[in-house]
Amino acid sequence: MCDFLSAAPSNTWLLQTTINLMIQTLNLETVVAEVLASTQVIDIHTHLFAPGFGRLALWGIDHLLTYHYLEAELFRSAPIRPEQYWALSISQRADLVWKTLFVENNPISEATRGAIAVLNAFGLNTSERTLTLYRDFFRAQNLPDHITRVFQLAGIESVVMTNDPLDPEESPLWDTATPDPRFQAALRLDRLLNQKTTYTPDDARRFLKTWAMRMRAVYMAVSLPDSFQFSTHDRRSQLLTEAVLPACRDLNIPLSLMIGVRRHVNPAIRLAGDASGRADLRSIETLCREFPDNRFLVSVLSRENQHELCVYARKFANLMPFGCWWFLNNPSMVEEITRERLEMLGTSFIPQHSDARILEQVIYKWRNTRRTLAPVLTNTYRLLAEDGRSVTRADIECDVQRLFRTNFQTFTS
Ligand code: RAT
Ligand code: ZN
């Protein structure tokens, strides 16, 4: 008998209550896991593209293995210099990543385990020494059917892409790409707001409205450095005030701010070379207060900013915290951040997005999210039961619907 029961007082009422609670908790765990598994997610931020975008729509083993999260780990374990690595073909790079991180080392990091989980989901042997069988498998897939299967395995209904109209590779493809309702658009503003362009605020506003309507964008988005300050003096803030925020208001869509990225701290390793930093979130306070007719989806990259983001969300209903972004998308961080958000905001937040760049990554990223959320939610309901209110399956379904779907749908409509 466990210590808990042997220590229980002889009082039979208390013992019975304790046993009931234990039974409820066991049952609760199963119900929470079932509800999480069966609720179809809307994945609100990815870098995936609909198949109509041709070579931008990445999938398959070579892309999975050359994901920049894995490349960052490769340079720690293989004696190769970045310039030598970039001189290789994509399949040579994938071979090297596999050999280094999956054959010579055990794949225990989040990103390496993720690749294993993807192979496993397709019923492949995860311990091959070379990529031949994996390449054969992916080559044999027909993309439309493969996408359907991947979405089913991931338990997702649709994803939101990242679409920058100033990206010279992407923008011409909008002339020909067939719309696919499973891939919604988000108008990304990074080039407009973070690089030098000649747009006046008036031009920028017209440009954004035209493109947002053309893409049927569900929101506009920008990633911002840890040093981001919203003031009336710099060009970015002027464009935000006079172009982006009015365009969002006119179109009735939110603006997503992803704050805390320090780009190119090690440019030699390209996409893997960005880092994170703690931001001053008083700019969020100013934006939410000064622009009450705008809605802001906000994700912050630094662990240290998470709590104050929750505090601001309690002050401003036009602020929707979302996701555990990038370096935070690890079970330990997701658990901590989600617990904090549930405690401070109930279900009025969006717990996660995948940030997937390669199609099949949604399988492992959403599997991991569900696995981490299950005990966090179970514990929340257990505490509620101890405090005097037990929940039903319908209550749990209602909460998970909000977290996985309706908070986003309501905020973007
Ligand atoms: O998570 C990532 O893949 C990063 O490289 C970034 O793309 C980040 O998510 C972003 O949207 O800027
Ligand atoms: Zn991203």
Side-chain angles (χ1 to χ4, degrees), residues 222-381:
V222 62
S223 75
L224 295 162
D226 58 336
S227 58
F228 169 63
Q229 294 282 349
F230 180 74
S231 69
T232 41
H233 308 301
D234 62 51
R235 180 181 169 275
R236 188 200 278 128
S237 301
Q238 192 193 4
L239 281 174
L240 276 171
T241 309
E242 295 173 29
V244 176
L245 292 171
C248 285
R249 284 197 298 274
D250 290 349
L251 298 162
N252 194 25
I253 55 176
L255 171 64
S256 165
L257 302 170
M258 305 177 74
I259 307 172
V261 52
R262 300 181 53 238
R263 298 278 180 201
H264 317 304
V265 301
N266 183 0
I269 59 171
R270 302 192 182 172
L271 275 182
D274 298 341
S276 73
R278 182 184 182 148
D280 177 358
L281 293 195
R282 267 175 282 200
S283 295
I284 294 294
E285 175 185 324
T286 311
L287 283 163
C288 292
R289 190 183 49 239
E290 304 300 320
F291 299 94
D293 296 328
N294 281 97
R295 299 187 299 284
F296 300 92
L297 286 156
V298 179
S299 206
V300 283
L301 193 51
S302 154
R303 179 189 189 184
E304 288 71 26
N305 279 137
Q306 301 303 324
H307 182 257
E308 55 189 316
L309 180 62
C310 291
V311 174
Y312 282 128
R314 292 179 62 89
K315 309 301 121 190
F316 298 105
N318 59 341
L319 166 56
M320 176 66 79
F322 79 95
C324 301
W325 180 22
W326 201 341
F327 312 112
L328 301 167
N329 192 358
N330 300 312
S332 60
M333 292 292 99
V334 175
E335 185 189 330
E336 172 184 298
I337 294 167
T338 309
R339 241 187 13 232
E340 193 170 61
R341 288 173 174 171
L342 286 168
E343 285 164 358
M344 295 180 76
L345 304 172
T347 49
S348 65
F349 67 97
I350 297 167
Q352 191 56 304
H353 62 271
S354 76
D355 235 316
R357 282 176 181 263
I358 324 303
L359 177 69
E360 299 84 357
Q361 288 172 337
V362 290
I363 298 172
Y364 88 81
K365 292 194 184 233
W366 282 107
R367 175 194 155 96
N368 290 1
T369 294
R370 287 184 170 95
R371 185 163 60 189
T372 306
L373 255 48
V376 174
L377 277 176
T378 303
N379 192 47
T380 304
Y381 296 128

Side-chain angles (χ1 to χ4, degrees), residues 55-329:
R55 65 180 185 284
L56 293 186
L58 305 182
W59 62 287
I61 190 67
D62 286 348
H63 289 296
L64 281 168
L65 292 177
T66 51
Y67 184 34
H68 69 89
Y69 290 26
L70 292 176
E71 289 174 334
E73 294 176 33
L74 170 80
F75 292 118
R76 302 190 54 72
S77 295
I80 186 164
R81 297 184 63 84
E83 60 277 18
Q84 296 170 314
Y85 177 79
W86 302 121
L88 301 175
S89 68
I90 179 168
S91 46
Q92 288 171 326
R93 292 178 202 169
D95 287 335
L96 179 64
V97 171
W98 183 257
K99 175 171 157 290
T100 307
L101 299 180
F102 296 82
V103 178
E104 293 171 356
N105 289 282
N106 283 319
I108 60 171
S109 69
E110 176 74 3
T112 53
R113 269 197 298 104
I116 294 294
V118 168
L119 297 174
N120 192 48
F122 291 118
L124 297 165
N125 169 18
T126 59
S127 303
E128 295 289 331
R129 294 195 70 81
T130 71
L131 299 180
T132 311
L133 283 182
Y134 306 143
R135 287 191 175 123
D136 290 347
F137 169 81
F138 284 102
R139 212 175 291 121
Q141 304 309 309
N142 145 287
L143 188 55
D145 295 342
H146 186 57
I147 294 175
T148 306
R149 183 174 179 197
V150 167
F151 275 41
Q152 262 163 14
L153 286 168
I156 56 176
E157 176 187 282
S158 60
V159 302
V160 181
M161 307 181 282
T162 295
N163 307 100
D164 189 337
L166 292 176
D167 179 344
E169 266 211 274
E170 178 182 340
S171 61
L173 300 175
W174 280 94
D175 292 334
T176 47
T178 327
D180 182 328
R182 293 170 302 178
F183 294 80
Q184 305 185 71
L187 197 167
R188 185 77 172 223
L189 306 164
D190 283 38
R191 281 184 176 77
L192 179 71
L193 294 183
N194 297 339
Q195 293 177 11
K196 284 200 175 21
T197 61
T198 52
Y199 284 90
T200 64
D202 274 352
D203 291 342
R205 183 173 166 168
R206 273 192 294 274
F207 173 81
L208 292 175
K209 284 182 68 171
T210 307
W211 269 99
M213 287 192 289
R214 185 170 180 201
M215 293 171 169
R216 303 168 68 92
V218 286
Y219 62 82
M220 295 193 200
V222 62
S223 75
L224 295 162
D226 58 336
S227 58
F228 169 63
Q229 294 282 349
F230 180 74
S231 69
T232 41
H233 308 301
D234 62 51
R235 180 181 169 275
R236 188 200 278 128
S237 301
Q238 192 193 4
L239 281 174
L240 276 171
T241 309
E242 295 173 29
V244 176
L245 292 171
C248 285
R249 284 197 298 274
D250 290 349
L251 298 162
N252 194 25
I253 55 176
L255 171 64
S256 165
L257 302 170
M258 305 177 74
I259 307 172
V261 52
R262 300 181 53 238
R263 298 278 180 201
H264 317 304
V265 301
N266 183 0
I269 59 171
R270 302 192 182 172
L271 275 182
D274 298 341
S276 73
R278 182 184 182 148
D280 177 358
L281 293 195
R282 267 175 282 200
S283 295
I284 294 294
E285 175 185 324
T286 311
L287 283 163
C288 292
R289 190 183 49 239
E290 304 300 320
F291 299 94
D293 296 328
N294 281 97
R295 299 187 299 284
F296 300 92
L297 286 156
V298 179
S299 206
V300 283
L301 193 51
S302 154
R303 179 189 189 184
E304 288 71 26
N305 279 137
Q306 301 303 324
H307 182 257
E308 55 189 316
L309 180 62
C310 291
V311 174
Y312 282 128
R314 292 179 62 89
K315 309 301 121 190
F316 298 105
N318 59 341
L319 166 56
M320 176 66 79
F322 79 95
C324 301
W325 180 22
W326 201 341
F327 312 112
L328 301 167
N329 192 358

